[in-house]
Amino acid sequence: MSASRHALIIANADYDDPGLKELASPASDASALAQVLGDPQIGDFEVEVVADAPSHVILRRIEGFFTDRRRDDTLVLHFSCHGLKSESGELYLAARDTEPRYLDATAVPSYFVRRCMSRTRAGSTVLFLDCCYGGAFSKGSAAVRAAGDAHVLDNFTAEKPPRGRGWAVITASTAMQYAMEGGRLTEGAGPPPSVFTHAVVEGLQTGDADLDADGEVSLDDLYEYLYEHVREQNPNQTPSKTVEMQGGLQLAHSRHRRITVEPADIRPEMRSAVQSRNTFTRLGAVRALRDQLADDRLPVAEGARRALEEMARGDVEDVAHDAEEALAAVRLRPSATRLDFGRVERDSAVPHRTVTLEGVPLARCCLAHATAPWLRVAQDDDALDVGVDPATVGHLSGDIVLKGVADDAVVTVEVDVRVPDRPPVDAPPGPAGAEAGTVPDGRTPDAPTAVTPAPVPAPVPPPSDRVVIRPQEPPGEPPPVITHDPGPQPPPAAVTVAPPPSLPPPSASLRDQPTVVTHRPAPAAERPSGSHRYPAPHRPTGARGAPLAAAAALGLAATSVVMCVLTAVSGREAVHRRMHDHHHPHPLPFAHHAHITGAFTYLVLCLSTAAAALLIGGLARYVADARRERYTEGARSATHTLVSTARLFAVPVLVLAGLAGLAYLVGSNR
C-alpha cells in the first residue's frame, strides 16, 4: 500500500431548517468508519472527521483535502447526510445551516466536489455517498420539493479524471431510493448505524469484504460485498458505482486470510466407489479417502477432504458417520488454546512461548494473525512462536486466530504488564551529595556494573501475499511446498555484565563491597528457542480391545447368517415331513419333525448369535468412543466399520429368526 493515504469523513445529523429531518446515525457512523480506516492493520489512513459543520467550513475542508497532493496519494471522501435536488436536477449535499431555498449559498454542490476531484494531483480518489434523498423531508414541508429523480451518479460523470489519475464513486442508493437507517429509535436507545456505512465498517473490520481471500480488500471486493449486504438488509435500496480508473485499488488489508488449496481430482476408480449404490463399497471408499488425508501432497489430501464432505452431507447414516469421523483428522489442533504470560515488567525483554500444531499436513496448513497490536506471532511448518511486547501497562488479553483449510482455531493470550517496583540497576540510590561513579563511602569502585538492555523489536507486519497451493499436473514432480517467511525474529534479551572486582577481605563490611549484578538465564519455558515445544497432548496408548470385540461381533454376525440358512433348509425339510405324515392315522406334531431335522436347534443358535453380535458390537463402539485417549484414530475407525458391517448382517437375521420362531410356536402343536 502507498505510504500516503488520507480520508475525510463528513457527517451531518442536526439541521437548522425544520424541513430537514434529524438523522440518527451519522455521528456513530463517522466514529466507527474513522476507527476502521485509521487502523494501521486495516485501512492505514490518516483520518479527519467533520461533524455537524456549516457549509462554508465543509467547503473549505473539502478543497483543502484535495489540494497539494502527490501522484501516489490515495484519497477517500465519505459523506453521511441528506441529499437535495435543485429544480435543474443538480445534487447538493446538506450541511447544518442548509436552507433548501438557497442551495448554492448554504449547501455543498456536487459540481464543487467533482471539480475538486478533477483538479487534485492524487493518483486515486474514492467518494462514498451515504445520503437520504426523497425521504429526507418532513411531510407537509413547503420549503422542499421531493418530486423528480435525483440521478446521483450523473452528477459525477460529466467530467473525466486527468490522464494517469482515476476516481470512483459509490452511493448508498440510486435515484429516488432511500438510504435507509436502522429501525426506529425507542426512548433512550442508542443510534443505529446506517445500513450502507455499517456494511462498509463491518466488511473492512471483519475482513469479510475480502471476497477473493487474497489478503487485500479491493474496491471491487468492497462494492460487491456492499451490494449483497445492503440488498439483503433492504431490498428497496440498491448501491451503485461508477469507476474511471485504470487498474485496481486496494482499500484495506484483510485480517482474515485463509490458505486456498486447489484440490486434485480423485482417481476414477475412487470416484466410482464413492458413487456406488453398494453401501459396503462406499464404506471402503471412506477408508481409502481417510488414508489420503494424511498425504504430504496437499492437493491430493484436499481432494479427498472434499469428497468426504460430500459423503458426510448426503450419504446414509453409517457412511455419513464414518466420513465425519475421517474428517476429524483435518481439524486444527494447537497444543494450547490459552497462554498466560503472568506478570511482566514494562519495557522488559519480549517473553516468548511456543504452540505446536498437531495432526496431518493438511490440518497444519494454516495462517495465523494477531488481533492485538502488542501480540507477536511467527509461524513455521508446525509451530507458532508467540511473543508479547510489554510496553503497555495493564492486564492485556488478545487472540491469535488460526485460519486453516477447513477449520479455524483461536489461541487466547493474556499478560499482566506492571511498572517495575524496584529502582533501575544501573542507577543505584546513594546519599545526597554523592558524585557519580562513587559508592556510598565515597570510594571509586574498581569495576562499575554496566547493564545494556536489548532493543525491543519492531512489530512484524503480516504478509499480504495470497497463499495458493495448486495440484501437480505432470506425475513424478516433487510435492508442493508451503513457505512462510516469518520476517525478522526478535532477538533474545541481551544483558552485558562487567566482571566483578576482587572480593574484599573477610573483615570488610558489606557496605564496602561494590555492587555486583548476577544475570541468570531465563527458564527454559521462556526462552525464544525454536527447538522448545509445549508438551504434546496425551497420545493414544494403542489399545486393541474395542477393535477385537468388533471383529468378534462381525464373526458372530456371519455365524448367524449361516445358522439362518441352515434353519431355513432344515425347516423346509420339517414341513415336508409333516405334510407326508398328515395321512398317518396318528400324525406327529410339527415340533417333533423340527427337532428331528435340527431346525429348532439352528433357530436357537441363529437368534443367540445375532443378538450376541449386536450386543458385543454396541459395547465395542461405546468403549472406542468413551475412551478415545486409549485408541488411535485408525483403531476407532476400524471399530466403527466392523460394527456397522456386523449390524448390516445381524439385524436382518434377527428379524427373520424372530418370525421363524413365531411360526414355530404357532405350528408346534399341529
Side-chain angles (χ1 to χ4, degrees):
M1 286 190 177
S2 171
S4 184
R5 297 163 62 84
H6 308 272
L8 176 61
I9 301 174
I10 298 175
N12 284 298
D14 298 326
Y15 299 92
D16 298 337
D17 190 284
L20 297 176
K21 291 181 179 179
E22 179 181 345
L23 295 177
S25 63
S28 58
D29 290 346
S31 176
L33 185 60
Q35 183 176 3
V36 71
L37 289 179
D39 190 332
Q41 296 186 6
I42 303 179
D44 197 21
F45 282 88
E46 294 182 11
V47 183
E48 180 184 2
V49 178
V50 179
D52 295 328
S55 58
H56 67 89
V57 173
I58 296 176
L59 291 171
R60 182 183 293 271
R61 293 292 183 88
I62 292 175
E63 186 167 6
F65 178 70
F66 286 103
T67 304
D68 296 332
R69 296 303 184 188
R70 299 175 302 175
R71 183 61 63 89
D72 59 350
D73 286 351
T74 298
L75 306 181
V76 170
L77 176 60
H78 182 93
F79 277 95
S80 182
C81 61
H82 283 311
L84 310 179
K85 180 183 70 67
S86 68
E87 293 181 356
S88 61
E90 184 74 29
L91 174 66
Y92 290 82
L93 304 172
R96 188 189 68 192
D97 61 339
T98 295
E99 297 182 38
R101 292 178 299 176
Y102 308 109
L103 292 179
D104 283 319
T106 61
V108 179
S110 61
Y111 61 80
F112 173 80
V113 179
R114 183 179 67 238
R115 187 166 60 246
C116 290
M117 293 171 59
S118 64
R119 290 178 178 177
T120 184
R121 298 183 60 189
S124 301
T125 301
V126 181
L127 173 63
F128 292 99
L129 293 177
D130 188 4
C131 299
C132 300
Y133 300 110
F137 316 114
S138 300
K139 293 182 179 179
S141 174
V144 179
R145 295 180 181 177
D149 289 343
H151 297 288
V152 183
L153 294 182
D154 292 346
N155 289 270
F156 293 93
T157 57
E159 298 181 18
K160 301 295 183 182
R163 185 175 182 181
R165 297 190 290 275
W167 68 48
V169 181
I170 297 179
T171 68
S173 56
T174 59
M176 289 303 296
Q177 293 177 323
Y178 300 165
M180 294 293 185
E181 293 183 308
R184 292 184 176 272
L185 288 177
T186 58
E187 186 73 22
S194 149
V195 174
F196 178 80
T197 303
H198 177 67
V200 175
V201 173
E202 185 178 81
L204 297 180
Q205 191 171 48
T206 63
D208 292 342
D210 182 15
L211 301 182
D212 53 4
D214 63 350
E216 302 290 341
V217 179
S218 67
L219 184 65
D220 292 337
D221 285 342
L222 182 60
Y223 175 72
E224 292 181 21
Y225 175 83
L226 291 174
Y227 187 90
E228 295 296 332
H229 187 88
V230 171
R231 293 284 294 175
E232 180 181 355
Q233 297 293 320
N234 179 23
N236 296 321
Q237 182 176 341
T238 306
S240 59
K241 176 184 71 169
T242 181
V243 178
E244 295 290 342
M245 187 178 298
Q246 295 181 355
L249 174 63
Q250 306 301 329
L251 282 178
H253 293 298
S254 171
R255 285 179 171 178
H256 299 277
R257 299 185 303 140
R258 185 187 297 278
I259 287 183
T260 302
V261 179
E262 296 186 2
D265 293 334
I266 61 177
R267 299 189 304 273
E269 60 271 19
M270 183 67 68
R271 176 63 64 183
S272 176
V274 168
Q275 298 174 350
S276 174
R277 300 179 62 182
N278 188 287
T279 303
F280 298 106
T281 303
R282 298 199 303 277
L283 287 172
V286 170
R287 291 194 294 271
L289 291 172
R290 184 182 61 242
D291 294 337
Q292 289 187 11
L293 288 177
D295 201 306
D296 291 334
R297 295 169 296 176
L298 297 182
V300 174
E302 175 66 3
R305 185 189 70 82
R306 297 195 182 186
L308 286 170
E309 281 189 339
E310 293 179 4
M311 301 180 77
R313 286 194 301 265
D315 215 314
V316 297
E317 180 181 357
D318 290 335
V319 178
H321 182 274
D322 286 1
E324 290 178 357
E325 288 282 332
L327 288 171
V330 295
R331 292 174 184 164
L332 267 174
R333 292 183 294 165
S335 61
T337 56
R338 182 179 180 273
L339 297 179
D340 190 353
F341 284 80
R343 180 172 177 175
V344 177
E345 293 185 356
R346 185 183 64 181
D347 298 329
S348 62
V350 178
H352 287 259
R353 298 287 188 274
T354 301
V355 177
T356 58
L357 302 176
E358 307 289 339
V360 299
L362 188 63
R364 301 195 304 268
C365 181
C366 66
L367 289 176
H369 77 272
T371 61
W374 50 269
L375 269 174
R376 307 284 182 264
V377 56
Q379 181 179 1
D380 59 20
D381 290 341
D382 60 353
L384 305 175
D385 184 71
V386 181
V388 297
D389 183 8
T392 304
V393 176
H395 182 80
L396 308 178
S397 180
D399 294 329
I400 297 175
V401 179
L402 303 178
K403 290 284 184 178
V405 175
D407 193 21
D408 299 341
V410 176
V411 178
T412 302
V413 182
E414 295 184 356
V415 63
D416 192 10
V417 182
R418 300 293 181 88
V419 177
D421 54 4
R422 61 177 183 274
V425 177
D426 56 350
E435 298 180 358
T438 63
V439 291
D441 61 353
R443 294 189 303 107
T444 301
D446 296 331
T449 300
V451 179
T452 304
V456 178
V460 180
S464 60
D465 54 318
R466 183 185 182 189
V467 183
V468 180
I469 304 164
R470 294 183 171 83
Q472 308 172 44
E473 296 186 0
E477 292 188 2
V481 178
I482 301 178
T483 60
H484 184 81
D485 183 7
Q489 299 294 317
V495 179
T496 304
V497 182
S502 303
L503 293 176
S507 60
S509 62
L510 290 177
R511 71 185 187 91
D512 293 334
Q513 300 180 14
T515 303
V516 178
V517 179
T518 303
H519 172 69
R520 293 184 174 87
E526 299 181 2
R527 298 176 190 168
S529 170
S531 61
H532 174 74
R533 296 289 186 271
Y534 267 89
H538 181 72
R539 296 185 178 277
T541 58
R544 300 181 180 178
L548 292 178
L554 181 58
L556 288 172
T559 303
S560 69
V561 173
V562 176
M563 293 298 105
C564 184
V565 173
L566 294 176
T567 300
V569 173
S570 57
R572 181 175 178 277
E573 183 180 353
V575 171
H576 185 71
R577 281 171 162 270
R578 179 67 179 83
M579 292 179 64
H580 279 279
D581 193 42
H582 180 70
H583 302 288
H584 196 276
H586 301 286
L588 297 174
F590 176 76
H592 175 77
H593 296 289
H595 281 279
I596 292 177
T597 58
F600 179 77
T601 302
Y602 291 139
L603 178 61
V604 172
L605 291 175
C606 180
L607 285 169
S608 58
T609 52
L614 293 176
L615 179 63
I616 295 175
L619 182 62
R621 191 166 191 164
Y622 170 78
V623 170
D625 290 338
R627 300 185 177 181
R628 302 174 71 92
E629 71 279 0
R630 297 184 57 190
Y631 295 93
T632 62
E633 186 71 27
R636 284 189 284 110
S637 177
T639 300
H640 285 286
T641 301
L642 292 172
V643 170
S644 298
T645 306
R647 189 166 59 183
L648 289 175
F649 286 135
V651 170
V653 168
L654 193 62
V655 173
L656 293 175
L659 294 175
L662 183 62
Y664 171 79
L665 293 176
V666 172
S668 58
N669 294 324
R670 294 183 180 182

